Amino acid sequence: MRSAVSLRGVSFGYQPGRYVLRDVDFEVETGGYTAVIGPNGGGKSTLLKIMLGLLEPWTGTVEVLGLPPARARHRIGYVPQASGAVLDFPVSALDVVMMGLPGGRSTKRARSAALSTMERLGIAGLSGMHAGSLSGGQRQRAFIARALVGSPEILLLDEPAASVDPEGQESFYELMAELNRTVTIVMVTHDVGAVSNHVKTIACLSTVMVSHGESLETEAVARAYGCSVDLVSHGTPHRVLGKHEGRGGND
Amino acid sequence: MIDALTRYEFLQNAVAAVLLGAAACGIVGSLLFVNRLSSLAGGISHTVFGGLGFSLLARVHPLIGAASASLIASLALGWMSARKRERADAAVAAVWSVGMSLGLVFVSLAPGYKGDLMGYLFGSVLAITREDLALTALVSLASAVFLAFQYRRILAVSFDPEFSRARGISSGLLFGAFLCLTGLTVVVLMRSVGLVMVIALLSIPPATARMLTHRLPGMVVLSSVISALSGLAGIAVSWWLDLPAGASIVLCAGALFALVTASVRLLRSTAPVG
Ligand SMILES: Nc1ncnc2c1ncn2[C@@H]1O[C@H](COP(=O)(O)OP(=O)(O)O)[C@@H](O)[C@H]1O
Ligand SMILES: [Mg+2]
């Protein structure tokens, strides 16, 4: 199958000589659902920005949907780390979703496209609300709607579960699984416990790609995290592996 | 006053200036306010003083000196803060003081009569000409067109710069166009309230409006209305009490702000909790 995302030998840093990514190979096939975990500062957000063409790698090649990333941009939906938005800005949830469409005018077509995406995510009722007064989970859905409204083929999410309560996370992962029927998903998180059972592959990034496959190499990951308490106490990789293997029969 | 209004053309022009300028004031002021860039108008207006000084020295029309200085200041600010929007703050401070100093130097070098400068510094809404009105209408129209056609892009780059970069929206072009509009609005408002008080008319009405709505279109409309009301009230007050018009306008805007703040506080504190 053709790759949706393909990175080969990618190295990058913000300052000369200080690698944030080192010789990273990363492949996500069309229809894939990959979780990228790794410690804070491991380069996960940087990896997404390289896939978006916002950063140019020092060395290596990047292809998204068979194109240089900057040219595939309009076919990618991006949910940035939540902290970027100015929350007291006077916009409604509908305004936020419309930001994901090309063009500048607030046309009827743009509004109805945004509304139908919001309906799909179950937040149409919030369309008139001030974006800053949405709850964490509602805001996250609005940001996902903003990423989806342009009908992307790939969805890139940066720490999407960070501001959502545990209950919300459950339904969030169900939503992701449903979206994955039509969209390739790459999701980044530093919280190993947050990785859902639905993911098809899981990668661990800590400057170098520690592992990437259908399951995690527990020891390699533990080393990457520097013996993370999280990982050991939840025993998460085993859970991911177990449920994942049983999944084929249910679908 | 109605009587006087039908009799004196300068009074009609003053009212027309206030009404025609309200849209530019509301649009540019709101966009500055929500991007926390209100001080930018202050930086530009003090550079415009430099342009006025230059026009005195070079004996060209003051509006030409003012408009070119405002555009130069806008582009300089844009260039200085292009890499990082957060840097705009320091750039504003620099442009502000350098522009003002240039003005003072030019004025002291210029020979002859300089009395007109007071009008530009503190406003002379009662001396507004047909040219001023035409320019005012044009700037308001340009602001309205800019907002209508770039609405979603403006929201996107202001609300979430990271996301809009990823969407490939060129925020530099948008910011540059907005800065030029701000510069022209400053020139237009200079005539009615004066350079020293331009920043007040670009920040008080949006701040008042923001308390009453949580969407940008509502804010733009409300702050335009508020600036028109303050303008009319200010002209009336200055007519009846024989006070300087520019200062009266700004004080009326301030009074409205205080009134709305107090009402909103009162309503919130008496509203049922929950
Ligand atoms: N704009 C930047 N300028 C300089 N260094 C940066 C920048 N963004 C991130 N970094 C550094 O790069 C490293 C990786 O950051 P990031 O990709 O955000 O990691 P993660 O998302 O995995 O937590 C960190 O050490 C961080 O300090
Ligand atoms: Mg990150």
Side-chain angles (χ1 to χ4, degrees):
Chain A
M1 205 189 278
R2 205 192 59 174
S3 290
V5 176
S6 162
L7 277 72
R8 302 223 164 275
V10 167
S11 294
F12 176 82
Y14 294 92
Q15 289 129 28
R18 291 194 52 180
Y19 286 94
V20 169
L21 299 175
R22 186 163 209 158
D23 200 21
V24 168
D25 290 326
F26 184 55
E27 201 93 20
V28 181
E29 62 184 32
T30 305
Y33 181 176
T34 297
V36 181
I37 64 164
N40 268 320
K44 304 180 298 295
S45 299
T46 305
L47 184 77
L48 289 190
K49 286 176 193 169
I50 284 178
M51 290 192 237
L52 285 159
L54 292 174
L55 301 171
E56 279 292 319
W58 287 345
T59 58
T61 57
V62 184
E63 273 190 5
V64 178
L65 299 164
L67 297 167
R71 283 187 43 215
R73 220 173 242 166
H74 58 286
R75 292 158 71 186
I76 308 175
Y78 177 40
V79 183
Q81 230 163 327
S83 53
V86 185
L87 287 181
D88 69 345
F89 198 84
V91 285
S92 65
L94 183 71
D95 286 323
V96 170
V97 176
M98 282 201 296
M99 291 173 195
L101 287 166
R105 290 174 59 204
S106 168
T107 55
K108 214 177 228 164
R109 236 174 83 203
R111 276 198 300 275
S112 71
L115 259 178
S116 72
T117 305
M118 292 177 86
E119 231 152 68
R120 199 168 139 212
L121 297 187
I123 50 167
L126 306 171
S127 64
M129 251 179 92
H130 180 219
S133 38
L134 298 175
S135 76
Q138 293 169 334
R139 193 178 308 137
Q140 177 206 52
R141 280 187 184 236
F143 286 169
I144 293 170
R146 177 178 67 170
L148 286 176
V149 69
S151 313
E153 291 155 65
I154 303 178
L155 190 59
L156 305 181
L157 303 106
D158 198 346
E159 311 274 3
S163 60
V164 185
D165 53 52
E167 246 167 84
Q169 293 198 7
E170 193 78 16
S171 74
F172 165 72
Y173 287 120
E174 273 163 32
L175 172 69
M176 285 298 112
E178 193 214 307
L179 290 174
N180 184 228
R181 288 186 203 158
T182 51
V183 187
T184 306
I185 297 179
V186 178
M187 188 171 73
V188 148
T189 173
H190 73 273
D191 181 6
V192 188
V195 174
S196 105
N197 306 322
H198 297 289
V199 302
K200 292 172 182 164
T201 65
I202 180 162
C204 178
L205 179 68
S206 177
T207 308
V208 296
M209 196 54 89
V210 175
S211 90
H212 183 193
E214 298 199 356
S215 62
L216 280 177
E217 295 156 36
T218 318
E219 270 182 36
V221 173
R223 238 180 293 126
Y225 273 85
C227 208
S228 156
V229 182
D230 244 0
L231 191 68
V232 176
S233 64
H234 296 328
T236 309
H238 299 291
R239 186 178 61 101
V240 171
L241 181 60
K243 293 258 178 90
H244 184 74
E245 280 176 345
R247 193 178 148 271
N250 303 337
D251 271 34
Chain B
M1 176 153 168
I2 303 294
D3 187 39
L5 200 56
T6 55
R7 219 175 319 146
Y8 300 116
E9 197 188 329
F10 68 86
L11 212 51
Q12 291 163 11
N13 284 351
V15 168
V18 158
L19 294 178
L20 286 174
C25 197
I27 293 166
V28 169
S30 296
L31 290 179
L32 285 172
F33 182 85
V34 297
N35 283 295
R36 295 165 206 265
L37 288 173
S38 293
S39 68
L40 213 132
I44 293 177
S45 66
H46 285 75
T47 312
V48 168
F49 180 69
L52 286 171
F54 183 77
S55 67
L56 259 182
L57 188 64
R59 296 183 187 285
V60 295
H61 194 290
L63 262 186
I64 294 174
S68 3
S70 81
L71 291 181
I72 291 171
S74 309
L75 295 176
L77 282 171
W79 179 68
M80 283 194 269
S81 51
R83 295 280 304 281
K84 263 191 180 304
R85 197 58 34 91
E86 305 84 85
R87 288 275 169 74
D89 196 34
V92 163
V95 164
W96 185 308
S97 42
V98 168
M100 189 76 194
S101 310
L102 275 176
L104 288 171
V105 167
F106 288 144
V107 168
S108 78
L109 289 177
Y113 175 70
K114 298 160 194 171
D116 219 21
L117 270 183
M118 286 299 279
Y120 289 107
L121 277 176
F122 301 107
S124 51
V125 74
L126 298 179
I128 287 214
T129 62
R130 283 286 154 104
E131 283 161 57
D132 294 329
L133 287 182
L135 183 67
T136 307
L138 233 120
V139 173
S140 271
L141 187 69
S143 311
V145 168
F146 176 67
L147 183 65
F149 281 85
Q150 301 296 332
Y151 175 70
R152 286 195 281 113
R153 286 199 192 98
I154 293 170
L155 286 190
V157 300
S158 315
F159 178 70
D160 194 342
E162 163 110 46
F163 176 80
S164 46
R165 258 198 303 279
R167 292 281 322 164
I169 299 174
S170 143
S171 70
L173 222 58
L174 219 54
F175 191 49
F178 173 62
L179 282 170
C180 291
L181 271 180
T182 307
L184 291 174
T185 304
V186 165
V187 171
V188 161
L189 293 180
M190 160 187 85
R191 296 294 284 144
S192 42
V193 293
L195 286 176
V196 174
M197 286 169 288
V198 160
I199 190 171
L201 217 51
L202 284 175
S203 57
I204 299 174
T208 313
R210 182 66 181 87
M211 290 187 275
L212 302 170
T213 172
H214 64 254
R215 287 200 62 218
L216 188 66
M219 211 181 141
V220 163
V221 170
L222 270 177
S223 54
S224 297
V225 169
I226 289 167
S227 75
L229 284 179
S230 323
L232 294 179
I235 290 172
V237 165
S238 86
W239 180 256
W240 283 323
L241 302 181
D242 196 21
L243 293 170
S248 307
I249 292 173
V250 170
L251 288 178
C252 284
L256 256 175
F257 175 80
L259 197 73
V260 170
T261 310
S263 320
V264 168
R265 288 262 164 88
L266 211 66
L267 275 178
R268 288 227 178 103
S269 65
T270 54
V273 183

